[in-house]
């Protein structure tokens, strides 16, 4: 470095040394930091390749960038942005800002599986210096735009490397929360981030700046002073801020080492490009964040000696696209104050009008002016003059006292009162005057000659929002809306991935503006317009794949085996455009994405039999794919065989019944997988039944579902080769202790014929007659209610048991049980309540006048004869029953080949004689008739 270069910032060094001696007891450390900052600025301004420091979404940076690009006309623009996102930049013409560039990967290879999906986003707004550089490079012939930052794959490679090498005992190791910050939904590529990473420094700046948050400090002390500054002053001030925050960054030296590796990567890319193209560094411009601009360019720069080896990318397949962004999303990503990006957009528009700098906008973009002449690259700029010291004058000048713009402030005050009245506030002209005066008062208390939007916001909240918020929006939100609101970007049709374009094309018959934000109503009269059925299929798949609210059915439903007739939908695809675009990263059609997700669910580590059967049902309902349904059904059989719990038994029963009903009505034969499922499930639940009756973790609803599967699938299972003895042995080995499960076992025994209704009624009467058992009797009734699932024929008995309980249970037992009964029916027995209500309506009188003379059927009718076989004195069985029904005897005799007719005069009827010769057949027939 020459003597002239060394003397450029000597006056500033002297001032900082005096300040360090005056304000610090031990000036060595402070003096080293301050002089190091000056050295950083000196190195940066003398780099042959011009470095342009920026802050993300800063209007001052955007104005300075537009002014410098028109003055310098560089041939190559190096931009700090992921290098693999370069093909996306041309698609910005088809979008409405703000949008975000996104790299997305679902199938990871080389990274931990729990990180999936991987996502990197980089938002772009019009009031950002990066957009000005992109628009200039893409619309100016002969200009090359080169992205030099790490690729999306390297972002996660470096993160994985840092995680694996982390040592808890090493003080330089970053904290766990800092590492985990990259493992969330998306990594935000913070282009031009200069927010201080030192909490104490930020707190000091906010306290002495009399501001509440960082966004307000930046607006007051950086945006406004640099809004009208010249190019050299802007650069040196940004270098100064970046160096200050860099030297006070926490986690040093680890944090600085990570940043330096990133800077080495970018300078290596630029040196390689310059060597390959032979471009003069004077014709280039390097756009990066102020934090990285203050790096050791003497080592990393164009003529630096530092070497950095860039490793290869992993085998992960990355997908790239544009997604809509918003001011609120950018504020959340960069931890900015709410409304700060909207205020920045307002300041940008004001600066453009005041400075008359013509910004760059991509040709063809929504809102861009048509180009009147074809732009051409300018000739080489004149040789640059040696940089002069601009910092000394900037730091010593008093604050700029802007003249109060009364018209602007008065307009704000009137508009906020009008917006408040529309939102339900009792605001008046007096409130507008109060907001106007309070804004000036607050600005004066904070040493400001002109109220900022933040002062106006505080004044509006103080004067208008009294005790409560009458509407949906508070005054602070109304001010944000007044300053521009939360603008949401939009990705144009041509920039959408193939899946999103296919969805728009297939839904075109609806004649709706699907890219428009908000909710739109779609009416589908499929009966008169059969072509709309394809739209219905797409909407049902979108409802399954996208967030709630994107496609919400108002009328109509999709069931197995049913065809839609009329449907009504509320669509908000424009509002959920990002979710639709991200579906395009998973496949080229919604059918493909749905099939992949169903397979992922079925073969996932947490898959259960119920979830796999749900996937089978979805594949049949939405895709109508017999191939996929059979594949997933075979998977359900595998999962069922491996399960050792009965947690999902109710859901399994419900879905298997539905699938069986569908296949029996729509297919000539049952699919092989469902036959195997029924056969395996019969044996599986028979094996688990004794344990479930005694297991405290198994609920009565789950045991009832097991019995429901066994009884409802019994005929099919027996036809497939199962043995009913398995079920009989399982019930014989079941010895429950819980009253509800005991009642459930009694109901199962009634279904098998091992227990008669008379015996069951006697057991209930015995329970009601035992004072010690009365407190537990409601639990028996709960078991009987759940028993309607496997044994619906007991509905009349359950009504009888509940009626007897209401009549005989004492109030201290009955009243606490009623809420339990109601909650049981509502949560676990919603499908059982109609059975009880229908049976009660059949038994109980329909008029109040008939209630006095009404007698319960179970009291009016005599007890039926026992269902057990009758043994006569001579040892024969069943003859009495057969003699009482001669027609049945003749029919059976005819089937067995006996043509003799029944004659009343015969002492021994032929049927009776035949029954006497074959007593076992008579007994078996009697059992069948008794069971029927």
């Amino acid at each position: 470095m020459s003597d002239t270069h060394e003397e450029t910032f000597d006056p500033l060094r002297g001032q900082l040394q005096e300040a360090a001696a005056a304000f610090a007891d031990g000036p060595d450390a402070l003096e080293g930091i301050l002089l190091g900052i000056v050295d950083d600025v000196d190195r940066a301004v003398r780099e042959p390749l011009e470095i342009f420091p920026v802050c993300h979404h800063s209007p001052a940076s955007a104005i300075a960038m537009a002014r410098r690009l028109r003055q310098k006309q560089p041939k190559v623009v190096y931009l700090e942005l992921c290098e693999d996102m370069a093909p996306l930049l041309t698609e910005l013409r088809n979008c409405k800002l703000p949008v975000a560039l996104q790299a997305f990967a679902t199938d990871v290879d080389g990274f931990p599986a729990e990180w999936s999906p991987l996502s990197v986003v980089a938002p772009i707004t019009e009031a950002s210096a990066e957009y000005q550089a992109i628009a200039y490079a893409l619309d100016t012939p002969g200009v090359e735009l080169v992205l030099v930052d790490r690729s999306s794959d390297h972002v996660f490679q470096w993160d994985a490397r840092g995680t694996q090498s982390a040592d808890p005992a090493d003080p330089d190791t970053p904290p766990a929360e800092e590492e985990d910050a990259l493992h969330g939904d998306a990594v935000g590529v913070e282009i031009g981030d200069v927010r201080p990473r030192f909490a104490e420094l930020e707190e000091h700046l906010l306290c002495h700046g009399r501001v509440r948050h960082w966004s307000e400090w930046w607006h007051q002390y950086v945006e406004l002073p640099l809004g009208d500054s010249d190019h050299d002053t802007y650069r040196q001030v940004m270098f100064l801020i970046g160096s200050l925050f860099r030297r006070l960054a926490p986690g040093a030296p680890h944090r600085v080492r990570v940043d330096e590796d990133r800077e080495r990567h970018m300078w290596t890319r630029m040196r390689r490009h310059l060597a390959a193209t032979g471009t003069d560094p004077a014709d280039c411009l390097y756009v990066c964040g102020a934090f990285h601009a203050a790096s050791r360019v003497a080592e990393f720069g164009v003529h630096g000696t530092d070497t950095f080896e860039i490793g290869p990318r992993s085998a992960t397949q990355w997908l790239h696209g544009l997604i809509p962004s918003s001011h609120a999303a950018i504020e959340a990503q960069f931890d900015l104050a709410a409304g700060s990006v909207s205020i920045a957009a307002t300041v940008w528009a004001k600066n453009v009008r005041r400075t008359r700098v013509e910004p760059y906008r991509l040709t063809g973009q929504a809102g861009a002016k048509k180009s009147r002449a074809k732009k051409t690259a300018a000739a080489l700029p004149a040789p640059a003059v040696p940089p002069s010291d601009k910092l000394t004058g900037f730091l010593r000048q008093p604050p700029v006292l802007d003249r109060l713009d009364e018209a602007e402030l008065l307009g704000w005050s009137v508009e906020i009162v009008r917006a408040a009245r529309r939102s339900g506030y009792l605001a008046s002209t007096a409130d507008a005057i109060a907001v106007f005066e309070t804004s000036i008062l607050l600005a004066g208390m904070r040493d400001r000659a002109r109220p900022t939007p933040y002062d106006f916001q505080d004044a509006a909240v103080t004067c208008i929002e009294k005790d409560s918020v009458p509407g949906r929006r508070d005054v602070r939100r109304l001010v944000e809306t007044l300053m521009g609101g939360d603008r949401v970007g939009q990705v144009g049709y041509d920039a959408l991935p193939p899946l999103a374009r296919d969805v728009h094309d297939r839904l075109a018959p609806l004649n709706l503006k699907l890219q428009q934000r908000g909710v739109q109503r779609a009416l589908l009269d499929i009966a008169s317009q059969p072509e709309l059925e394809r739209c219905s299929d797409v909407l049902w798949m979108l409802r399954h794949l996208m967030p709630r609210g994107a496609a919400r059915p108002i009328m109509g439903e999709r069931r197995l085996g049913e065809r839609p007739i009329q449907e009504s939908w509320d669509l908000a695809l424009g509002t959920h455009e990002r979710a639709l675009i991200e579906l395009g990263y998973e496949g080229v059609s919604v059918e493909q994405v749905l099939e992949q997700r169903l397979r992922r669910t079925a073969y996932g580590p947490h898959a259960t039999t119920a979830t796999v059967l749900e996937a089978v049902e979805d594949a049949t309902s939405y895709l109508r794919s017999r191939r996929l349904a059979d594949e997933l059904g075979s998977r359900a059989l595998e999962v069922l065989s491996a399960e050792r719990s009965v947690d999902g038994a109710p859901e399994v029963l419900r879905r298997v019944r539905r699938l069986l009903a569908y296949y029996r009505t729509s297919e000539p034969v049952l699919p092989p997988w469902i036959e195997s499922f029924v056969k395996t499930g019969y044996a599986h639940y028979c094996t688990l039944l004794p344990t479930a009756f005694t297991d405290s973790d198994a609920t009565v609803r789950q045991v009832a579902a097991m019995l429901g599967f066994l009884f409802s699938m019994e005929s099919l299972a027996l036809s497939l080769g199962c043995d009913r003895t398995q079920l009989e042995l399982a019930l014989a080995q079941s010895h429950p202790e819980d009253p509800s499960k005991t009642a459930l076992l009694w109901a199962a025994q009634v279904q098998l014929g091992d227990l008669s209704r008379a015996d069951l009624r006697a057991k209930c009467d015995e329970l009601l007659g035992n004072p010690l058992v009365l407190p537990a009797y409601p639990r028996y009734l709960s078991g009987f209610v759940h028993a309607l699932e496997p044994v619906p024929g007991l509905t009349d008995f359950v009504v009888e048991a509940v009626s007897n309980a209401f009549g005989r249970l004492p109030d201290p037992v009955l009243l606490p049980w009623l809420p339990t009964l109601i909650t049981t029916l509502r949560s676990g027995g919603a499908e059982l309540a109609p059975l009880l209500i229908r049976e009660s309506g059949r038994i109980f009188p329909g008029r109040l006048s008939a209630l006095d003379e009404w007698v319960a059927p179970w009291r009016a009718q005599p007890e039926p004869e026992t269902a057990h076989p009758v043994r006569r004195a001579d040892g024969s069985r069943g003859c009495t029953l057969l003699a009482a029904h001669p027609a049945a005897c003749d029919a059976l005799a005819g089937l067995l080949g006996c043509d003799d007719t029944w004659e009343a005069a015969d002492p021994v009827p032929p049927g009776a004689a035949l029954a006497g010769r074959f007593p076992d057949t008579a007994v078996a027939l009697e059992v069948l008739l008794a069971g029927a």
Side-chain angles (χ1 to χ4, degrees):
M1 186 179 294
S2 64
D3 295 340
T4 304
H5 291 173
E6 292 178 355
E7 295 175 357
T8 302
F9 293 97
D10 282 348
L12 180 60
R13 289 189 177 93
Q15 293 179 13
L16 294 180
Q17 286 177 341
E18 295 176 1
F23 293 101
D25 296 333
D28 294 339
L30 180 59
E31 180 179 348
I33 292 176
L34 295 178
L35 295 182
I37 292 173
V38 179
D39 294 338
D40 291 340
V41 176
D42 195 11
R43 284 197 304 268
V45 297
R46 300 186 190 284
E47 169 62 25
L49 194 160
E50 181 179 337
I51 304 174
F52 195 95
V54 300
C55 175
H56 201 31
H57 309 299
S58 167
S61 295
I63 287 291
M65 173 62 72
R67 183 188 294 116
R68 183 56 178 168
L69 289 173
R70 295 197 179 277
Q71 177 186 1
K72 181 180 177 66
Q73 292 289 318
K75 294 182 179 180
V76 178
V77 177
Y78 298 110
L79 183 61
E80 178 194 336
L81 190 62
C82 292
E83 54 192 5
D84 56 328
M85 293 183 176
L88 298 175
L89 298 180
T90 57
E91 297 295 338
L92 290 174
R93 303 179 189 276
N94 303 314
C95 303
K96 178 182 177 182
L97 300 180
V99 296
L101 313 175
Q102 183 180 39
F104 193 86
T106 53
D107 298 328
V108 297
D109 187 354
F111 303 106
E114 58 270 15
W115 288 11
S116 178
L118 306 180
S119 179
V120 179
V121 295
I124 301 293
T125 64
E126 186 177 357
S128 62
E130 297 81 8
Y131 175 73
Q132 294 299 309
I134 293 171
Y136 162 78
L138 295 183
D139 282 350
T140 305
V143 176
E144 184 178 4
L145 178 63
V146 182
L147 306 186
V148 295
D149 203 357
R150 303 167 296 172
S151 67
S152 305
D153 195 87
H154 285 101
V155 170
F156 286 94
Q157 281 189 34
W158 289 20
D159 184 59
R161 182 180 59 189
T163 303
Q164 294 172 0
S165 61
D167 184 5
D170 186 3
D172 296 337
T173 300
E177 58 271 13
E178 185 175 325
E179 297 176 5
D180 295 340
L182 293 179
H183 302 170
D185 294 336
V187 176
V189 181
E190 299 182 357
I191 308 173
D193 179 31
V194 293
R195 181 166 184 164
R197 299 168 181 164
F198 191 26
E200 288 78 3
L201 173 61
E202 183 173 347
E203 182 180 356
H204 177 82
L205 294 175
L206 299 184
C207 177
H208 288 269
R210 299 181 180 179
V211 294
R212 293 168 300 165
H213 43 70
W214 169 252
S215 301
E216 186 176 359
W217 184 91
W218 182 267
H219 177 271
Q220 179 65 27
Y221 295 100
V222 179
E223 285 293 338
L224 297 182
L226 291 182
D228 296 325
S229 62
D230 60 273
H231 174 62
D232 291 335
T233 302
Y234 168 83
R235 289 183 68 209
Q236 293 178 23
V237 171
M238 293 296 288
F239 286 142
L240 175 69
I241 296 175
S243 177
L244 173 65
F245 295 158
R246 184 187 187 93
R247 290 182 176 273
L248 297 180
H254 170 82
R255 184 68 202 187
V256 175
R257 184 167 63 247
V258 172
D259 291 323
E260 288 186 348
D261 285 345
R262 185 175 174 186
E263 291 149 10
R264 286 188 176 97
H265 183 283
M266 292 188 285
W267 281 109
T268 300
R269 288 296 189 198
M270 287 185 284
R271 285 198 297 265
R272 291 180 181 178
H273 181 269
L274 290 173
T277 60
T279 307
D280 186 357
D283 298 333
C284 304
L285 188 67
Y286 172 34
V287 183
C288 66
F291 193 91
H292 297 294
S295 64
R296 295 179 295 150
V297 293
E299 292 83 1
F300 305 157
V302 175
H303 302 298
T305 58
D306 179 76
T307 58
F308 184 78
E309 189 66 27
I310 300 176
R313 300 181 186 180
S314 69
T316 300
Q317 297 295 324
W318 287 88
L319 301 170
H320 300 82
L322 294 169
I323 58 175
S325 185
S326 64
H327 291 173
I330 296 173
E331 291 160 0
Q333 176 176 328
F334 292 90
D335 195 20
L336 302 176
S340 58
V341 178
S342 299
I343 293 176
T346 303
V347 174
W348 156 257
K350 185 186 299 182
N351 287 348
V352 169
R353 292 192 300 268
R354 188 182 73 252
T355 61
R356 297 184 179 180
V357 173
E358 184 179 355
Y360 288 94
R361 301 191 70 178
L362 286 172
T363 304
Q365 193 170 29
K369 297 180 180 179
K370 294 184 179 180
S371 178
R372 290 175 293 182
K374 189 174 182 180
K375 298 179 181 179
T376 57
L380 292 177
V385 297
S388 59
D389 180 14
K390 299 289 186 178
L391 283 176
T392 303
F394 181 83
L395 296 177
R396 299 182 67 176
Q397 71 180 4
V400 179
L401 300 178
D402 294 337
R403 183 177 61 86
L404 173 63
D405 190 346
E406 294 186 359
E408 179 187 57
L409 183 58
L410 186 60
W412 286 353
S413 302
V414 173
E415 290 299 327
I416 191 59
V417 168
R418 181 180 290 115
R421 291 181 63 85
R422 286 197 301 264
S423 296
Y425 289 91
L426 298 177
S428 61
T429 305
D431 292 309
I433 298 174
V435 172
F436 179 86
E437 298 293 342
T438 306
S439 300
I440 299 176
L441 176 63
L442 289 177
M445 294 173 61
R446 296 167 179 173
D447 293 336
R448 303 169 188 170
R450 179 178 182 175
T452 66
Y454 298 98
D455 298 326
F456 171 74
Q457 186 181 61
D458 293 341
V461 172
T462 302
C463 299
I464 297 178
E465 192 171 288
K466 308 302 191 297
D467 298 328
S468 61
V469 179
R472 294 183 301 171
R473 298 178 178 89
D474 56 9
V475 175
R476 190 175 302 278
R477 179 73 178 276
L478 293 176
V479 173
E480 295 174 11
T481 305
L482 177 64
M483 294 297 170
D486 183 18
R487 299 179 186 175
V488 180
Q490 186 181 46
V491 178
Y493 176 85
D494 295 331
L496 291 174
L499 181 144
R501 292 201 300 268
D502 179 62
V503 168
H504 284 285
D505 294 341
R506 294 167 68 177
L507 296 180
L510 298 180
N511 297 321
L512 297 177
K513 297 180 180 179
L514 298 177
Q515 288 193 293
Q516 180 178 332
R517 293 183 58 82
V519 179
Q520 303 179 71
R521 178 63 57 87
L523 303 176
L524 285 72
D525 187 1
I526 303 174
S528 60
Q529 295 179 286
E531 65 274 9
L532 294 181
E533 185 174 357
R534 297 181 179 180
C535 298
S536 173
D537 295 339
V538 175
L539 292 176
W540 282 108
M541 286 186 284
L542 291 178
R543 177 180 179 269
H544 187 274
L545 295 172
M546 295 186 66
R548 296 184 61 183
R552 186 168 63 94
I554 303 301
M555 181 183 67
E557 57 184 350
R558 179 59 61 97
R559 290 184 178 181
L560 287 173
E562 294 185 1
R563 290 288 182 177
I565 300 177
Q566 285 185 336
E567 292 180 352
S568 176
W569 290 80
D570 274 351
L571 302 181
L573 298 183
T575 305
H576 298 83
E577 189 175 28
R578 173 172 180 172
L580 181 61
I581 292 174
E582 290 183 345
L583 284 183
Y585 298 155
E586 302 182 43
V588 296
S589 66
V590 287
E591 287 84 358
Q592 180 186 2
V593 175
L594 181 56
E595 182 173 340
Q596 290 176 354
R597 290 197 181 182
L598 292 179
R599 280 201 176 93
R600 192 181 307 135
T601 300
Y603 290 92
H606 304 292
T608 62
T609 307
T611 57
V612 180
L613 288 177
E614 182 182 5
V616 175
E617 191 172 342
D618 292 339
T620 306
S621 300
Y622 300 134
L623 298 176
R624 299 188 178 96
S625 174
R626 175 65 183 274
R627 169 191 55 82
L628 181 60
D630 290 347
E631 176 188 341
L632 299 180
S634 301
R635 172 61 180 169
L637 182 60
E638 297 175 4
V639 176
L640 177 66
S641 302
E643 282 186 345
R644 293 297 177 266
S645 66
V646 296
D647 295 341
E651 189 70 12
V652 170
L653 173 63
R654 185 170 63 89
R655 296 195 178 276
V656 168
R657 280 178 174 173
R658 197 151 53 200
L659 287 169
L660 268 176
Y662 167 73
Y663 286 125
R664 281 171 172 166
T665 56
S666 62
E667 300 286 344
V669 293
L670 292 178
W673 75 266
I674 201 166
E675 292 183 348
S676 301
F677 188 91
V678 172
K679 184 177 179 180
T680 303
Y682 189 85
H684 178 74
Y685 285 132
C686 282
T687 303
L688 297 180
L689 193 59
T691 305
F693 265 114
T694 56
D695 189 3
S696 59
D697 293 333
T699 64
V700 63
R701 182 168 179 259
Q702 295 168 355
V703 179
M706 295 174 63
L707 291 173
F709 185 95
L710 295 172
F711 288 145
S712 61
M713 308 292 169
E714 185 177 19
S715 59
L716 179 58
L718 295 180
S719 67
L720 296 174
C722 294
D723 190 355
R724 197 186 194 199
T725 308
Q726 291 180 285
L727 178 57
E728 295 175 349
L729 291 176
L731 290 177
Q733 295 172 358
S734 301
H735 305 287
E737 298 179 357
D738 184 73
S740 58
K741 293 182 181 179
T742 301
L744 197 59
L745 178 61
W746 292 345
Q749 291 174 345
V750 171
Q751 179 70 12
L752 287 181
D754 296 338
L755 188 69
S756 66
R757 288 202 174 197
D759 294 336
L760 183 60
R761 187 174 289 107
K763 288 179 178 290
C764 293
D765 291 339
E766 182 180 355
L767 294 175
L768 285 173
N770 189 344
L772 299 178
V773 184
L774 280 181
Y777 186 75
R779 300 178 62 186
Y780 286 93
L781 290 181
S782 299
F784 284 129
V785 171
H786 283 287
L788 296 180
E789 178 71 57
V791 191
L794 283 181
T795 306
D796 57 338
F797 177 81
V798 175
V799 173
E800 173 187 344
V802 173
S803 301
N804 290 334
F806 275 83
R808 299 178 59 178
L809 284 179
D811 290 346
V813 176
L814 180 63
L815 294 181
W817 171 65
L818 289 179
T820 304
L821 176 63
I822 296 173
T823 55
T824 300
L825 291 175
R826 176 175 295 179
S827 61
E831 66 279 2
L832 305 178
L835 296 176
L836 294 175
I837 295 174
R838 186 164 52 249
E839 185 64 22
S840 300
R842 187 185 65 84
I843 293 177
F844 293 105
R847 296 179 179 274
L848 183 61
S849 58
L851 185 61
D852 295 335
E853 301 177 357
W854 177 76
V855 178
W858 52 86
R859 294 181 180 177
Q861 297 178 358
E863 292 291 335
E865 297 184 0
T866 177
H868 293 291
V870 179
R871 183 183 298 273
R872 300 183 62 182
D874 58 358
S876 62
R877 304 182 187 181
C879 293
T880 304
L881 179 62
L882 293 176
H885 301 279
C889 295
D890 288 341
L892 181 60
L895 291 175
L896 296 177
C898 182
D899 297 332
D900 295 339
T901 59
W902 182 280
E903 295 181 3
D906 292 343
V908 180
L914 184 62
R917 293 198 302 270
F918 302 99
D920 293 337
T921 304
V923 173
L925 178 62
E926 180 185 5
V927 172
L928 291 176
L929 294 177

